[in-house]
Amino acid sequence: MKAPVTRTLLFAALGLAITFTACKKDDDEPSSPSGSQGTTPTDPRAAYTGNWLVTDSLWLMGTPCNPPFETYVISITTGDTVSNTLWFNNLWNDGTGYYAIFSNNSFSYPSQNVSGPYNMSGSGAFSGTHLFYQTSGDVCVHHGYGEKQ
């Protein structure tokens, strides 16, 4: 009588082991942040990240400053931020990064500190491989345009 009970327990344990092994997730399967295997969500900001050669003009109280234009490179990144943020690194050729809120092909710079008591805000848009923006702070206004490199 003892052998059939032992054999039954052995088969039950073997069945459980096979069940748990069969349900285990394979370690070599790629996982997707979207939850659906094999597809990854496309970040709409990706088309606008990279280096841009921009020409910027500074206006003080409606009068252009000397020199009237400055050309330099800015780098636009997502900065590992939420899906509606872009970082404009080296804006105004000052080596600093400023963030903008992105929607469709437009963006807006919320008020942020530039230097000392000065804050700036502004807006802009992308059109294909072109970029246009305007920022203002106190009596300064920057107009800029650029092309993706």
Side-chain angles (χ1 to χ4, degrees), residues 40-49 78 80-86 102:
T40 55
T42 302
D43 188 339
R45 302 172 298 171
Y48 307 112
T49 59
T78 60
D80 294 327
T81 58
V82 294
S83 63
N84 69 343
T85 304
L86 287 172
F102 174 74

Side-chain angles (χ1 to χ4, degrees), residues 14-148:
L14 184 60
L16 284 173
I18 290 171
T19 301
F20 286 124
T21 303
C23 292
K24 181 183 174 219
K25 181 179 176 186
D26 292 337
D27 290 336
D28 59 350
E29 286 182 19
S31 61
S32 171
S34 67
S36 59
Q37 189 173 338
T39 61
T40 55
T42 302
D43 188 339
R45 302 172 298 171
Y48 307 112
T49 59
N51 291 329
W52 295 76
L53 182 63
V54 298
T55 300
D56 191 286
S57 61
L58 173 63
W59 298 71
L60 293 173
M61 298 172 51
T63 304
C65 291
N66 234 353
F69 298 101
E70 182 177 6
T71 301
Y72 54 91
V73 174
I74 62 171
S75 171
I76 299 177
T77 65
T78 60
D80 294 327
T81 58
V82 294
S83 63
N84 69 343
T85 304
L86 287 172
W87 280 92
F88 289 72
N89 303 294
N90 198 38
L91 187 62
W92 310 311
N93 205 24
D94 71 355
T96 306
Y98 300 95
Y99 73 96
I101 306 302
F102 174 74
S103 177
N104 295 322
N105 66 333
S106 301
F107 55 91
S108 62
Y109 298 104
S111 181
Q112 50 199 296
N113 189 263
V114 175
S115 142
Y118 301 108
N119 288 323
M120 75 85 168
S121 60
S123 62
F126 297 101
S127 178
T129 59
H130 292 90
L131 158 73
F132 306 91
Y133 64 88
Q134 179 176 320
T135 61
S136 62
D138 201 19
V139 295
C140 300
V141 175
H142 281 266
H143 298 275
Y145 63 92
E147 188 167 352
K148 191 166 185 183

